[in-house]
Amino acid sequence: MAQQETDEQINDGYVVDTEDCEARELAYRERGTARPITVVGNPVLHRETKDVTEFDDKLAALIDDMFASQKAAEGVGLAANQIGVDLKVFVYDCPDDEGVRHTGVVVNPVLQDLPADRRILDDSNEGCLSVPTAYASLARPDFAEVHGQDAQGNPIKVRGTGYFARCLQHETDHLYGFLYIDKLSKRDRKDALRQMEEGTPRYETVPND
């Protein structure tokens, strides 16, 4: 089933992703089917995913399933490889630090380098659906900008601050084969994996062989 119209309004190339969030998110997930989440150790999470080259009904259906899966797992962002699909797509339904909700899709995302004067680090806690029940402090810039495409292949730009900036960086990292725990010290990574081992995820996961 193809998307009937562009998912977000666009202003100067920047997506306006704060309008009609509830209705848009609901429409996606009502069409989709929740899938289990892949976890650290699954090979699809540890390599760069493939570029999307076909903007068709199959991609639209994947995006619907991703929103359904994200909601089922109570996440704020989800990359395609987190449900086992080797493609550069992520979805998000995430508030920023002011409580403003952002909802959208980015295909073939590229995180933009920040000038030195914009690299203000935020060392808040971070978690991941693919490392269930684990959290660790990780310093990331408190502003992020991602360039990519929408579900129809149109060029878009997404920018965010605070928690939403963290989400954009986190999900883009996924599609290039990196989990947030890969950025931690050996000690903190080991602690995160211990938390995961001792915890019980509240959503369905794919067991690693």
Side-chain angles (χ1 to χ4, degrees), residues 34-53:
R35 305 192 201 180
I37 304 296
T38 56
V39 296
V40 58
N42 189 307
V44 74
L45 293 174
H46 302 283
R47 61 173 183 259
E48 182 176 346
T49 54
K50 297 175 182 176
D51 290 345
V52 173
T53 58

Side-chain angles (χ1 to χ4, degrees), residues 5-204:
E5 57 188 9
T6 301
D7 298 312
E8 296 88 12
Q9 297 179 45
I10 298 178
N11 181 17
D12 295 331
Y14 288 97
V15 167
V16 179
D17 58 6
T18 57
E19 297 180 356
D20 302 319
C21 290
E22 185 169 356
R24 290 189 291 109
E25 189 274 340
L26 179 62
Y28 280 123
R29 63 183 168 89
E30 283 191 334
R31 294 189 299 259
T33 301
R35 305 192 201 180
I37 304 296
T38 56
V39 296
V40 58
N42 189 307
V44 74
L45 293 174
H46 302 283
R47 61 173 183 259
E48 182 176 346
T49 54
K50 297 175 182 176
D51 290 345
V52 173
T53 58
E54 296 184 12
F55 296 82
D56 54 11
D57 289 358
K58 187 175 180 180
L59 176 63
L62 169 63
I63 291 168
D64 291 342
D65 285 358
M66 290 174 68
F67 271 102
S69 303
Q70 175 178 256
K71 183 68 172 182
E74 300 178 17
V76 297
L78 188 76
N81 51 354
Q82 291 186 273
I83 56 169
V85 178
D86 187 22
L87 287 174
K88 283 195 176 77
V89 188
F90 75 77
V91 303
Y92 60 89
D93 187 21
C94 182
D96 59 28
D97 284 359
E98 285 70 50
V100 177
R101 183 176 179 180
H102 299 259
T103 303
V105 179
V106 186
V107 181
N108 298 327
V110 177
L111 188 65
Q112 302 302 293
D113 290 332
L114 294 180
D117 62 348
R118 296 302 301 269
R119 292 185 62 81
I120 301 171
L121 296 181
D122 170 12
D123 60 357
S124 297
N125 263 11
E126 190 161 322
C128 179
L129 296 178
S130 292
V131 193
T133 73
Y135 296 90
S137 174
L138 177 62
R140 289 190 188 268
D142 70 352
F143 175 85
E145 182 170 314
V146 171
H147 294 186
Q149 294 164 281
D150 65 14
Q152 292 75 37
N154 302 306
I156 57 170
K157 296 182 282 188
V158 183
R159 56 188 171 186
T161 59
Y163 187 54
F164 181 43
R166 182 174 294 273
C167 175
L168 293 175
Q169 294 168 80
H170 181 111
E171 301 308 331
T172 302
D173 280 350
H174 266 303
L175 299 175
Y176 289 86
F178 298 103
L179 300 171
Y180 86 97
I181 60 171
D182 297 329
K183 298 177 178 288
L184 300 175
S185 68
K186 288 183 179 180
R187 178 179 178 178
D188 289 346
R189 187 179 193 278
K190 184 177 180 180
D191 181 64
L193 292 173
R194 177 193 57 77
Q195 291 179 54
M196 175 180 163
E197 175 130 359
E198 293 177 354
T200 301
R202 61 185 181 273
Y203 45 85
E204 185 181 1

